[in-house]
Amino acid sequence: MQKLPPHQRLTTDFPILHFGKVPEFDLRTWDFRADGFVEKPVRLTYDEFLALEKTADVSDFHCVTGWSRFDNKWEGVRFSDIAKMVQPKTSARFATIECDAGYTTSLPLAELMEPDVLLAYIFNGAPLEPAHGGPLRLVVPKKYAYKCAKWVRRVVFTEEQQLGFWEERGYSNTADPWKEERYSY
Ligand SMILES: Nc1nc2c(c(=O)[nH]1)N[C@H]1C(S)=C(S)[C@@H](COP(=O)(O)O)O[C@H]1N2
Ligand SMILES: [Mo]
């Protein structure tokens, strides 16, 4: 039996929640970049991204506002596979995820390297809808969902942690739902 983190309630639908409006994109010009403190920065087209090794993972999703959704099947590329490709310098200890529409979040590399952290483009067997972050979103099952950035375009490896959009506005930077780390105070 799955458990809910403290003070979360279960939902079976999939609420749509984000700041601003769903950004437009054109898969013919869309690209994904991974750079910063790395040996081999990359820029990939959508087709090149799809050609990377694909991994599936089923995980639970916990929004800091109090809803959780169990058993989401994500398919995409493991963050660790991207890291393997770009080869972070030894001084790189964090990454900032940059998205269309200006959203950002960041995490320690140690947490991003977990095998359940994906850059996902398929949700429950179908192409990820734009409203849920399509064409590409980050999925970090062990964190509140504001770490699960939608519309990802770039991963920047950094030496110091840059605070993300919600983290700058009072939400916890560590965001562990099991410890109920909702706010930064
Ligand atoms: N780009 C972007 N990603 C985002 C957000 C956002 O405002 N912008 N909100 C986050 C929050 S708070 C949640 S709960 C989830 C919601 O994902 P969903 O709309 O697919 O349910 O997206 C996260 N990723
Ligand atoms: Mo959220």
Side-chain angles (χ1 to χ4, degrees):
M1 261 291 278
Q2 279 141 309
K3 273 180 54 182
L4 278 172
H7 302 107
Q8 291 292 110
R9 60 189 176 276
L10 195 61
T11 180
T12 49
D13 60 6
F14 196 179
I16 290 169
L17 196 63
H18 52 257
F19 184 80
K21 59 182 179 64
V22 177
E24 295 197 359
F25 58 89
D26 179 346
L27 289 180
R28 290 168 304 178
T29 53
W30 184 94
D31 62 3
F32 169 83
R33 285 183 289 158
D35 52 24
F37 282 80
V38 300
E39 300 295 343
K40 298 190 165 146
V42 292
R43 176 185 172 273
L44 303 172
T45 65
Y46 186 66
D47 287 342
E48 287 168 340
F49 196 92
L50 294 195
L52 300 177
E53 184 180 343
K54 188 167 82 167
T55 299
D57 185 71
V58 176
S59 61
D60 301 337
F61 195 89
H62 310 294
C63 173
V64 72
T65 63
W67 54 270
S68 292
R69 192 184 197 281
F70 285 159
D71 297 328
N72 307 292
K73 185 177 179 197
W74 301 102
E75 293 170 68
V77 178
R78 277 197 175 123
F79 183 93
S80 62
D81 286 337
I82 299 290
K84 218 179 285 170
M85 184 165 61
V86 300
Q87 301 173 19
K89 297 193 187 221
T90 47
S91 61
R93 292 180 43 237
F94 302 91
T96 301
I97 316 301
E98 297 183 356
C99 308
D100 280 335
Y103 192 81
T104 60
T105 191
S106 66
L107 284 152
L109 284 191
E111 296 176 346
L112 287 166
M113 297 300 277
E114 296 278 324
D116 59 356
V117 175
L118 301 185
L119 285 155
Y121 50 84
I122 295 175
F123 172 74
N124 286 351
L128 180 60
E129 285 171 41
H132 285 298
L136 188 68
R137 91 177 292 171
L138 183 70
V139 180
V140 190
K142 296 186 190 77
K143 299 291 177 178
Y144 282 122
Y146 56 88
K147 298 286 185 181
C148 302
K150 310 203 266 195
W151 317 304
V152 172
R153 292 293 298 274
R154 185 175 177 208
V155 174
V156 187
F157 291 76
T158 65
E159 295 184 312
E160 306 293 337
Q161 189 165 23
Q162 299 170 345
L163 279 188
F165 180 88
W166 284 121
E167 295 89 332
E168 263 183 338
R169 289 164 176 77
Y171 284 90
S172 165
N173 194 26
T174 46
D176 183 338
W178 300 98
K179 296 184 187 157
E180 214 175 346
E181 295 169 339
R182 296 179 198 268
Y183 308 108
S184 55
Y185 46 81

